[in-house]
Amino acid sequence: MEGYQRGVMSYVYKGVACSKSPIDIAIYLRLLADVRPRTLIEIGTKTGGSALLFSDFGKMLGLSLDVVSIDLYRPAQSFENVTFLEGDVRNLSATFDAHGIASRPRPWLVVEDSAHTLEGCLAALDFFAPRMLPGEWLAMEDGVLDDLGLSAQYQGGPNAAIGQFFAAHPGVFEVGTQYCDMFGPQATYNPNGYLMRTNAPFVRAAVP
């Protein structure tokens, strides 16, 4: 696992650091082909390599795909069909309102790949749940932190966030086992992290 992680963290696409697991690159390719999103919203840009990869996948599959990638800071480079914006996963409404992201073409595919903290992951799920349409997908990245022994540094990270969100809002998202288990049970960097929005209503708990 340590060797695999070193390879993932050093992976480069077209000369740009990408840091994606090869298994999940294959899963994303199938997911994009299956759901054919018009807009991919990525939270967590880093140097922009994954946004570039997603954009190229869209072209290869004949999709009319625009990629919007949000992070605290914009990367130095720019790419065709990719919009880099500044924003914080804990306050996505500010970025969405300032740039009219809510009006972007549907369907959406959301990729949450930012700080991986429990707080950040829960904020992303809470933000997107009422804004996504049934049948749209959200990928919660890097639950593999558990397997790497790093989850404590992230207050439980993505897996704890998914568990807490599902307990508080049952039925709002459905785990896409066809993607999570494509190469074997949870053989992915995003265990239980490929989530489809269902028809279930999303109701925030009342603040006491």
Side-chain angles (χ1 to χ4, degrees):
M1 192 69 202
E2 290 180 3
Y4 192 89
Q5 172 70 354
R6 284 194 298 271
V8 169
M9 296 307 295
S10 62
Y11 180 69
V12 173
Y13 177 71
K14 287 188 173 180
V16 185
C18 188
S19 302
K20 277 280 185 285
S21 155
I23 286 176
D24 291 284
I25 289 173
I27 292 172
Y28 274 121
L29 184 58
R30 176 175 164 186
L31 178 61
L32 286 163
D34 288 348
V35 306
R36 304 188 69 80
R38 292 287 311 282
T39 302
L40 188 150
I41 302 170
E42 178 185 55
I43 314 300
T45 304
K46 297 184 181 178
T47 57
S50 57
L52 175 60
L53 179 72
F54 288 136
S55 179
D56 282 356
F57 274 179
K59 294 173 187 174
M60 182 177 66
L61 293 168
L63 307 180
S64 297
L65 178 68
D66 288 326
V67 177
V68 178
S69 187
I70 301 169
D71 210 327
L72 294 175
Y73 305 101
R74 292 186 186 91
Q77 301 187 67
S78 61
F79 308 112
E80 184 182 4
N81 298 327
V82 177
T83 302
F84 292 120
L85 300 174
E86 293 185 352
D88 190 325
V89 69
R90 297 167 297 181
N91 184 24
L92 286 170
S93 59
T95 305
F96 267 61
D97 293 346
H99 299 281
I101 299 174
S103 63
R104 290 275 183 159
R106 305 283 185 149
W108 289 355
L109 168 60
V110 177
V111 178
E112 205 304 295
D113 189 21
S114 57
H116 307 313
T117 62
L118 175 63
E119 177 190 15
C121 295
L122 282 173
L125 289 166
D126 189 68
F127 178 82
F128 282 107
R131 291 169 173 82
M132 293 174 65
L133 301 179
E136 293 183 330
W137 287 78
L138 184 151
M140 179 65 67
E141 294 231 344
D142 289 331
V144 74
L145 291 171
D146 280 0
D147 300 288
L148 294 169
L150 299 174
S151 286
Q153 300 177 29
Y154 299 87
Q155 303 82 49
N159 291 346
I162 292 170
Q164 288 187 25
F165 187 89
F166 273 45
H169 307 286
V172 171
F173 287 103
E174 177 182 301
V175 175
T177 55
Q178 69 270 40
Y179 303 113
C180 296
D181 299 341
M182 186 185 299
F183 294 99
Q186 302 298 341
T188 166
Y189 259 45
N190 312 322
N192 292 320
Y194 292 96
L195 308 174
M196 187 188 74
R197 185 67 171 90
T198 69
N199 290 304
F202 173 75
V203 180
R204 289 189 176 89
V207 178

